[in-house]
């Protein structure tokens, strides 16, 4: 199939670049946040403070991407919201880089104790103490923070690339 036919059909998957960018801006943070929550509530891996930091931008990206679906994919509103979602995803990736650096002892992490989930001393005693500089789980030697960094930053770049490509077409 030649390039002109692919462009007319809307890309390799039959979806134009703006729609693909918007879809990635929704599905990527949904998958990453879902994986984080699944690892916590199903897998029993308790998050540290920096793990929580990485979740908030993904939540914002989901909301922004959902709002982008309220307009046509090529509208300025939808493209702007999709780019904002990509920015939120990139923020989570940047936090993931820092967190992975703390785990690898490249950066200094917290020098004080942090705990989440408790309001009183009794509540705090029930919450597991999870250090941000210790890897709880890894795949191919890359921690969850590292995978978040890789997938988030790559996804954000892909979203921006697809938006720019859709504007040239």
């Amino acid at each position: 199939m030649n390039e002109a036919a692919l462009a007319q059909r809307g890309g390799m998957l039959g979806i134009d670049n703006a729609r693909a960018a918007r879809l990635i801006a929704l599905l990527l943070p949904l998958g990453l946040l879902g994986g984080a929550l699944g690892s916590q509530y199903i897998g029993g891996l308790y998050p540290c403070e920096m793990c929580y930091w990485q979740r908030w931008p993904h939540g914002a990206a989901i909301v922004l991407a959902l709002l982008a679906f309220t307009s046509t994919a090529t509208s300025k509103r939808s493209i702007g919201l999709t780019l904002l979602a990509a920015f939120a995803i990139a923020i989570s990736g940047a936090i993931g880089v820092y967190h992975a650096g703390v785990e690898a002892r490249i950066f200094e992490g917290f020098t004080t104790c942090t705990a989440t989930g408790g309001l009183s001393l009794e509540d705090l005693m029930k919450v597991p103490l999870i250090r941000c500089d210790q890897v709880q789980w890894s795949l191919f030697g890359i921690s969850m923070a590292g995978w978040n960094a890789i997938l988030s930053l790559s996804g954000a770049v892909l979203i921006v690339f697809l938006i720019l490509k859709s504007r040239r077409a």
Side-chain angles (χ1 to χ4, degrees), residues 135-169:
V135 175
Q136 292 188 62
W137 180 91
S138 67
L139 178 64
F140 308 119
I142 301 171
S143 69
M144 287 181 73
W147 282 112
N148 179 56
I150 292 167
L151 295 172
S152 294
L153 293 173
S154 299
V157 168
L158 177 60
I159 292 165
V160 171
F161 172 77
L162 289 170
I163 291 291
L164 291 175
K165 192 172 178 184
S166 75
R167 296 191 63 107
R168 285 189 209 131

Side-chain angles (χ1 to χ4, degrees), residues 39-125:
S39 70
Q40 178 180 351
Y41 293 108
I42 298 169
L45 296 175
Y46 292 98
C48 71
E49 186 72 19
M50 284 196 277
C51 293
Y52 283 116
W53 294 355
Q54 293 170 76
R55 294 177 183 191
W56 286 105
H58 283 311
I62 291 167
V63 170
L64 291 164
L66 284 171
L67 289 171
F69 276 90
T70 62
S71 302
T72 60
T74 55
S75 71
K76 287 184 179 188
R77 180 178 190 276
S78 181
I79 287 172
L81 288 166
T82 302
L83 288 172
L84 284 173
F87 182 66
I89 293 166
I91 289 172
S92 180
I95 296 168
V97 167
Y98 178 70
H99 189 181
V102 168
E103 291 171 337
R105 310 274 191 289
I106 295 169
F107 308 121
E108 185 176 329
F110 294 108
T111 57
T112 60
C113 177
T114 63
T116 57
L119 300 175
S120 67
L121 182 58
E122 184 179 327
D123 289 339
L124 283 173
M125 296 307 286

